[in-house]
């Protein structure tokens, strides 16, 4: 079927090689090469630039990727809707998520959901705000779990208003305060997570006209909090991101208080699949009980 070739094409682009796509989808490498040669012949123009490092798209190949992703999404949705009509929920869900949400909420939600819907496959892609926006833009996720606002035109389902907190080493001179003055971020060395730009913390600091003095930058909240615990600086996080990671640190609410709204985003132009709609219902119940 042509759609089989489209799936292989998209997988080859996602993993960067024909051999990787073959391994992922259960084909032989030669079989994938034959399918892609056939697809290029059908389209009438080259799709790939081949090298010993793998494959990349030609400019013409790049133009057809969004169309094929949309076709595959529609095929998956048709499969799920027809199954729903027969009384069976099946299919796959790809969820983009903050690391903190994936660790704190998703295990419990997935456990409940898959007891009722064992035939639904779930894939989680973790990342910072910028990466999750990109997943939505490129239609690589059914929906994403992060903070408001999403980039672009998206539907938004709020889940929780999460308190923003200053994180200090337990021996820091300001650790015994009842709250942390936001203005004090101007005077302290700052530990920046999220690959050098944490969306939620910078949104707060920008709103108050503060340009932090960044001492260290890291790609992950856990590493940033460990650096704070070692006395290398202070940080600013939504409270969920600190869950289970507070050894040798102190969390202080901000003065004035600030919050991050966590929720579900999906493109405004997209109709959620039956499986995705049900998963979000389970998610909303779980968060309301947490």
């Amino acid at each position: 079927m042509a759609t089989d070739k489209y799936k292989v094409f998209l997988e080859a682009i996602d993993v960067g090689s024909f051999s990787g796509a073959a391994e992922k989808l259960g084909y032989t490498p030669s079989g994938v090469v034959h399918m892609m040669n056939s697809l290029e012949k059908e389209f009438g123009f080259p799709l790939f630039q081949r090298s010993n490092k793998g494959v990349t798209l030609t400019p013409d190949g790049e133009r057809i990727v969004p169309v094929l992703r949309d076709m595959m999404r529609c095929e998956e949705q048709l499969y799920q809707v027809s199954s729903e009509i027969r009384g069976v929920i099946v299919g796959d869900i790809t969820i983009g998520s903050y690391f903190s949400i994936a660790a704190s909420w998703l295990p419990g939600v997935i456990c409940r959901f898959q007891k009722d819907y064992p035939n639904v496959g779930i894939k989680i892609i973790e990342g910072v705000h910028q990466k999750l926006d990109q997943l939505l833009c490129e239609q690589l996720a059914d929906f994403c779990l992060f903070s408001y606002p999403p980039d672009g035109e998206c539907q938004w389902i709020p889940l929780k208003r999460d308190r923003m907190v200053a994180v200090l080493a337990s021996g820091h001179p300001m650790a015994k305060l009842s709250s942390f003055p936001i203005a004090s971020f101007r005077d302290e060395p700052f530990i920046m997570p999220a690959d050098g730009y944490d969306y939620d913390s910078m949104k707060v600091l920008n709103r108050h006209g503060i340009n932090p003095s960044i001492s260290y930058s890291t790609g992950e909240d856990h590493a940033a909090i460990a650096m704070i615990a070692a006395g290398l600086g202070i940080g600013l996080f939504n409270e969920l991101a600190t869950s289970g990671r507070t050894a040798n640190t102190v969390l202080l609410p901000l003065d004035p208080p600030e919050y991050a709204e966590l929720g579900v985003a999906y493109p405004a132009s997209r109709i959620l699949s039956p499986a995705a709609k049900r998963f979000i219902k389970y998610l909303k119940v779980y968060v309301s009980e947490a």
Side-chain angles (χ1 to χ4, degrees):
M1 293 177 62
T3 54
D4 291 335
K5 295 178 184 178
Y6 300 158
K7 290 176 184 177
V8 173
F9 168 80
L10 293 173
E11 189 64 39
I13 293 306
D14 291 341
V15 302
S17 70
F18 289 159
S19 59
E23 182 178 357
K24 187 76 175 290
L25 298 176
Y27 293 99
T28 63
S30 61
V32 168
V33 171
H34 176 75
M35 292 174 75
M36 294 302 95
N37 288 341
S38 173
L39 192 60
E40 288 182 319
K41 185 176 180 180
E42 290 174 17
F43 281 132
F45 50 81
L47 299 172
F48 297 99
Q49 295 173 338
R50 297 160 169 84
S51 73
N52 56 9
K53 294 182 180 179
V55 294
T56 56
L57 287 171
T58 64
D60 290 331
E62 290 178 354
R63 291 180 62 185
I64 68 169
V65 168
V67 180
L68 293 185
R69 288 201 191 282
D70 198 44
M71 287 180 62
M72 294 299 94
R73 183 185 62 80
C74 289
E75 182 185 57
E76 171 66 18
Q77 190 164 18
L78 176 61
Y79 172 57
Q80 291 194 26
V81 170
S82 63
S83 298
E84 183 184 35
I85 292 171
R86 299 194 306 271
V88 180
I89 300 298
V90 297
D92 296 294
I93 307 172
T94 299
I95 303 169
S97 175
Y98 270 172
F99 296 99
S100 56
I101 294 176
S104 300
W105 293 349
L106 290 185
V109 179
I110 291 172
C111 184
R112 293 183 184 182
F113 181 81
Q114 298 230 283
K115 285 181 180 178
D116 294 334
Y117 302 106
N119 296 317
V120 175
I122 297 173
K123 177 183 179 182
I124 301 171
I125 304 174
E126 297 172 304
V128 298
H129 204 287
Q130 300 92 311
K131 178 180 179 179
L132 301 181
D133 278 328
Q134 186 176 5
L135 290 179
L136 291 176
C137 179
E138 296 180 1
Q139 300 186 33
L140 295 175
D142 292 281
F143 57 86
C144 287
L145 307 174
F146 56 166
S147 63
Y148 184 84
D151 190 25
E153 294 185 5
C154 287
Q155 296 287 347
W156 178 255
I157 303 172
L159 294 175
K160 181 179 181 180
R161 194 166 177 254
D162 197 29
R163 184 173 67 164
M164 297 294 293
V165 294
V167 182
L168 289 68
S170 55
H172 191 281
M174 302 179 74
K176 294 184 179 180
L177 295 177
S178 59
S179 60
F180 188 86
I182 290 180
S184 295
F185 281 110
R186 289 191 175 94
D187 308 318
E188 297 284 337
F190 193 83
I191 307 296
M192 179 69 76
D195 294 325
Y197 188 90
D198 182 72
Y199 182 89
D200 295 326
S201 62
M202 287 307 300
K203 185 168 65 173
V204 171
L205 296 175
N206 288 338
R207 185 157 48 240
H208 291 270
I210 296 172
N211 184 23
S213 176
I214 301 172
S215 296
Y216 299 95
S217 177
T218 180
E220 202 270 327
D221 293 340
H222 190 196
I225 293 172
M227 297 175 78
I228 293 168
L232 297 174
I234 67 173
L236 175 59
F237 299 83
N238 61 295
E239 195 164 16
L240 188 67
T242 68
S243 179
R245 302 171 174 176
T246 56
N248 300 315
T249 63
V250 171
L251 307 184
L252 297 178
L254 301 181
D255 180 18
E258 291 280 352
Y259 297 86
E261 183 178 270
L262 303 179
V264 180
Y266 62 96
S269 60
R270 176 179 298 178
I271 299 174
L272 286 172
S273 68
K277 288 179 181 178
R278 279 169 169 73
F279 189 92
I280 291 172
K281 286 183 179 179
Y282 277 64
L283 177 62
K284 291 168 72 174
V285 171
Y286 184 89
V287 174
S288 70
E289 295 174 350

